[in-house]
Amino acid sequence: MDLNTIDVQDLEGEMRDKLMGHLRSEDFFHVENHPSATFEIIEVTEGATATDLVVSGNLTIRGVTKNIKFDATASDLSAESAVLDANFNIAREDWGVSYQGKADDLISKEINFEVHLVAKK
């Protein structure tokens, strides 16, 4: 994941630009030193139904690697390709993203990932 492409879509103008700059700063992702984040899939197992899967792998952010596991839904499965969709949160402080903010800030302690993966053979 190219962290230089962080985009704020719910603000406009100067506030949007300030927030994007802050997210790229050392307070959050420190993009200058860590321009990318990676996820390496280690295992995919069956979930509760034929289209439910459990994905586990190693997520690296800011040079910190941790194993995570999340639920995903498969669609368009064939011998040649698969499409997986997932929506999950991680505790950002586990990866060194520990900006505390001010008392009145609305900064979540979690990072939300919405993933749409197309895998082809």
Side-chain angles (χ1 to χ4, degrees):
M1 297 169 268
D2 180 357
L3 297 180
N4 285 295
T5 65
I6 291 172
D7 187 23
V8 174
Q9 298 182 355
D10 59 346
L11 294 173
E12 294 180 3
E14 184 180 344
M15 291 301 292
R16 176 183 179 269
D17 294 342
K18 281 184 174 182
L19 180 55
M20 286 189 342
H22 197 200
L23 290 172
R24 292 178 179 142
S25 77
E26 190 173 348
D27 285 343
F28 286 93
F29 296 105
H30 203 190
V31 173
E32 184 176 325
N33 285 356
H34 307 284
S36 63
T38 60
F39 181 69
E40 176 188 12
I41 296 173
I42 302 298
E43 182 179 42
V44 178
T45 57
E46 292 181 4
T49 71
T51 59
D52 292 334
L53 301 169
V54 178
V55 179
S56 67
N58 295 322
L59 176 63
T60 302
I61 301 173
R62 288 184 62 128
V64 176
T65 302
K66 297 206 176 271
N67 186 269
I68 63 169
K69 189 180 286 192
F70 57 88
D71 295 327
T73 303
S75 61
D76 298 327
L77 296 173
S78 73
E80 300 300 317
S81 67
V83 176
L84 300 178
D85 289 287
N87 191 321
F88 61 94
N89 295 330
I90 62 164
R92 63 182 172 83
E93 290 179 341
D94 291 348
W95 280 266
V97 183
S98 56
Y99 179 72
Q100 296 300 310
K102 299 175 186 169
D104 60 346
D105 283 344
L106 299 175
I107 299 172
S108 175
K109 294 203 177 287
E110 295 183 327
I111 298 171
N112 176 258
F113 286 86
E114 187 173 325
V115 178
H116 178 77
L117 174 70
V118 178
K120 297 188 179 200
K121 187 174 185 181

